[in-house]
Amino acid sequence: MELLIAELSKDKFEITVKANQITKHVVYVTDEMLFNLTKNKISKKELLNFSFNFLLERETNTSILSSFDLTVISKYFPEYTKKVSYKCNL
């Protein structure tokens, strides 16, 4: 499986998941979200890469919403913020 992350604007990214079925997802990550989740220890692209790998461990790429705000992940998977904190050594 391969992830391609393209920056559409400062806060808007398109993630292409190349798996059995290719899917595209538009994800919003603001500077505030990045700071709240990572204290700016990693970049937005690194956070997106981590977040999509996190999601793909739990569901298929065809089950992931086609457009969402990154903070939505923790509503479906409460352990998400803790895993991000762990990744960033917070």
Side-chain angles (χ1 to χ4, degrees):
M1 188 168 326
E2 183 182 1
L3 292 177
L4 300 173
I5 301 172
E7 188 173 340
L8 301 178
S9 70
K10 182 175 162 290
D11 297 335
K12 184 178 176 183
F13 297 81
E14 180 182 72
I15 292 85
T16 303
V17 182
K18 291 188 172 182
N20 290 339
Q21 188 173 339
I22 296 173
T23 56
K24 290 182 183 277
H25 311 267
V26 174
V27 184
Y28 298 88
V29 185
T30 65
D31 291 341
E32 182 182 357
M33 284 180 218
L34 181 68
F35 181 79
N36 289 341
L37 282 166
T38 72
K39 303 293 184 250
N40 294 336
K41 291 195 173 196
I42 61 175
S43 69
K44 288 182 180 178
K45 284 189 176 181
E46 288 171 311
L47 177 58
L48 285 164
N49 187 60
F50 174 83
S51 300
F52 263 77
N53 282 307
F54 173 90
L55 288 171
L56 290 165
E57 287 173 6
R58 288 155 180 81
E59 60 185 347
T60 62
N61 62 317
T62 55
S63 299
I64 298 173
L65 297 170
S66 60
S67 180
F68 62 96
D69 178 309
L70 199 68
T71 58
V72 156
I73 297 173
S74 62
K75 291 180 179 146
Y76 293 98
F77 302 102
E79 72 275 20
Y80 170 70
T81 52
K82 189 180 283 186
K83 295 277 189 184
V84 172
S85 293
Y86 182 77
K87 169 160 179 55
C88 297
N89 298 315
L90 299 179

